[in-house]
């Protein structure tokens, strides 16, 4: 069995090659299934938005003896019957209660009811209020941030690579990452909070970095080929992806390990819930970004370029030369 170093050398020389471009139809079908499946997740399990987006009231009961969640729900409904509540345990010691928007009087009554229900002092219950206008502003600014990021990405890549087709392939890859990550987020039942949005933008930046490195190698290979190359355009693209494969895997592993440690040890084991939102989005996004660059963005760019008249004519000459060589042999 070849060592990792030998395997990497074989990939770089082309002795060993994985068919990223050759079997792109299969990869595209898988990508479509993943994207459609992720888009359908909210229909089965609606996406939960944090109070920063929806607005409402939030109460925190500090270190009660009992952390029974039903106790909190019953205390809230004793003041505001029918109120929607969400109760979570924070840091394995505090009880956090989120409710619909309430008036100042109702907020005070609910705080008193929670203190009584959990048998704590009134000052052990803190309350905060987020209005709907603030939540709408956060949502609007988040969407604007995403739109500006994608627009600037398209423009900068088009200038850097001198072709809009690389930009288009990269943007489609970014959207693939975003949709799948949000779908996994919804499936896991986690709230989308401002921290999660930061995580989404972070993994889009990571995906862009990975895609740019791979595309730079593709540009190098296809530019060096010229008219005398014995490789088809798709083969040159596939070689470039294989040449950067080990780098992509190593970068992803190195990036995912510390984030995974934060997620599974800090958030799940130690109960540091404030770390969960951002660490989950980044952890899933890193893995999806690597997959998307290799199996979606790069093969898609090859598909965009192969039908250009000049490349189509050159590929036809290469195929004809190969056929003649086979007959003569």
């Amino acid at each position: 069995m070849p060592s990792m170093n030998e395997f990497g050398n074989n990939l770089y020389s082309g002795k060993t090659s994985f068919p990223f471009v050759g079997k792109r139809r299969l990869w595209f079908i898988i990508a479509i299934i993943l994207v459609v499946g992720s888009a359908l997740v909210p229909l089965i399990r609606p996406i939960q938005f944090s109070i920063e987006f929806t607005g409402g009231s939030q109460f925190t009961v500090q270190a009660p003896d009992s952390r029974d969640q039903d106790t909190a729900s019953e205390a809230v409904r004793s003041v505001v019957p029918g109120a929607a509540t969400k109760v979570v345990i924070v840091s394995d010691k505090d009880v956090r209660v989120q409710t619909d928007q309430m008036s100042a009087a109702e907020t005070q009554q609910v705080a008193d009811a929670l203190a009584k229900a959990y048998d704590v002092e009134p000052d052990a219950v803190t309350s905060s209020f987020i209005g709907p206008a603030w939540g709408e502003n956060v949502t609007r600014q988040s969407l604007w941030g995403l739109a500006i990021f994608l627009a600037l990405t398209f423009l900068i890549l088009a200038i850097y690579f001198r072709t809009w087709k690389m930009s288009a392939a990269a943007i489609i890859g970014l959207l693939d990452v975003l949709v799948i990550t949000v779908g996994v987020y919804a499936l896991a039942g986690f709230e989308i909070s401002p921290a999660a949005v930061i995580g989404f933008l972070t993994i889009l930046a990571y995906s862009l970095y990975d895609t740019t490195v791979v595309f730079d190698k593709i540009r190098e290979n296809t530019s060096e080929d010229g008219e005398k190359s014995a490789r088809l355009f798709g083969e040159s693209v596939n070689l470039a992806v294989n040449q950067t494969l080990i780098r992509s895997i190593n970068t992803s592993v190195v990036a995912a390990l510390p984030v995974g440690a934060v997620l599974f040890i800090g958030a799940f084991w130690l109960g540091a819930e404030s770390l969960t939102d951002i660490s989950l989005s980044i952890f899933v996004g890193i893995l999806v970004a690597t997959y998307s660059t290799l199996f979606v963005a790069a093969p898609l760019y090859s598909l965009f370029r192969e039908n250009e008249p000049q490349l189509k004519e050159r590929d036809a000459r290469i195929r004809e030369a190969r056929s003649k060589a086979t007959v003569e042999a």
Side-chain angles (χ1 to χ4, degrees):
M1 184 175 180
S3 64
M4 182 60 69
N5 188 44
E6 183 181 354
F7 179 64
N9 290 334
N10 290 341
L11 287 173
Y12 198 88
S13 64
K15 184 177 179 180
T16 299
S17 181
F18 190 83
F20 293 104
V21 174
K23 292 189 177 181
R24 64 187 174 204
R25 180 174 296 181
L26 173 62
W27 314 138
F28 290 165
I29 291 174
I30 294 174
I32 291 171
I33 291 174
L34 290 174
V35 169
V36 172
S38 298
L40 292 177
V41 166
L43 299 179
I44 303 171
R45 188 167 189 173
I47 297 176
Q48 299 180 42
F49 291 92
S50 69
I51 194 173
E52 289 85 359
F53 289 100
T54 61
S57 298
Q58 179 170 287
F59 305 86
T60 302
V61 184
Q62 300 175 9
D65 292 333
S66 170
R67 284 176 287 278
D68 180 63
Q69 297 181 355
D70 292 335
T71 300
S73 299
E74 292 171 2
V76 172
R77 294 192 182 102
S78 68
V79 178
V80 185
T85 62
K86 179 181 178 181
V87 185
V88 295
I89 307 302
V90 182
S91 301
D92 202 30
K93 63 177 182 177
D94 298 336
V95 179
R96 187 177 69 189
V97 185
Q98 294 178 343
T99 70
D100 298 331
Q101 187 177 348
M102 295 183 178
S103 65
E106 289 174 334
T107 299
Q108 184 58 52
Q109 292 173 13
V110 169
D112 293 339
L114 288 170
K116 183 178 180 180
Y118 283 103
D119 193 23
V120 296
E121 295 296 325
D123 58 4
V125 180
T126 59
S127 62
S128 58
F129 168 77
I130 297 177
W134 193 87
E136 291 174 4
N137 184 58
V138 170
T139 303
R140 183 170 59 253
Q141 294 299 329
S142 298
L143 293 176
W144 268 111
L146 177 61
I148 292 172
F149 175 87
L150 293 176
L152 288 176
T153 297
F154 185 89
L155 180 62
I156 292 172
L157 287 182
I159 294 173
Y160 179 74
F161 290 115
R162 298 179 179 85
T163 171
W164 64 268
K165 293 182 179 180
M166 269 195 175
S167 289
I171 292 298
I172 292 173
L174 290 178
L175 293 176
D176 177 66
V177 173
L178 183 62
V179 172
I180 294 176
T181 303
V182 172
V184 172
Y185 218 82
L187 188 63
F190 286 92
E191 287 183 338
I192 293 183
S193 63
V197 173
I198 294 172
F200 295 147
L201 293 177
T202 301
I203 59 104
L204 289 181
Y206 173 86
S207 178
L208 177 61
Y209 162 75
D210 195 44
T211 301
T212 301
V213 172
V214 174
F215 277 11
D216 206 41
K217 187 60 181 177
I218 291 174
R219 183 180 62 169
E220 179 184 328
N221 281 9
T222 54
S223 297
E224 290 177 351
D225 283 350
E227 291 295 320
K228 297 181 180 179
S229 173
R231 291 193 298 261
L232 302 175
F233 181 80
E235 292 172 345
S236 294
V237 173
N238 196 76
L239 175 62
V241 179
N242 278 277
Q243 288 174 330
T244 55
L245 178 60
I246 296 298
R247 187 216 63 86
S248 294
I249 294 175
N250 289 341
T251 303
S252 299
V253 170
V254 170
L257 282 177
V259 178
V262 171
L263 176 62
F264 294 103
I265 299 177
F268 291 154
W269 186 14
L270 300 180
E273 188 178 341
S274 59
L275 301 174
T276 305
D277 295 349
I278 190 170
S279 57
L280 176 65
S281 59
I282 294 177
F283 181 77
V284 174
I286 287 173
L287 301 181
V288 177
T290 303
Y291 138 80
S292 183
T293 297
L294 300 175
F295 292 94
V296 177
L300 194 60
Y301 171 67
S302 180
L303 179 64
F304 286 163
R305 292 290 309 277
E306 286 174 14
N307 287 324
E308 292 180 4
Q310 184 177 357
L311 290 176
K312 196 172 183 179
E313 182 181 347
R314 186 173 70 85
D315 285 355
R317 290 200 302 269
I318 293 173
R319 290 190 179 96
E320 184 179 355
R322 289 178 179 177
S323 297
K324 289 182 179 178
T326 302
V327 172
E328 291 175 0

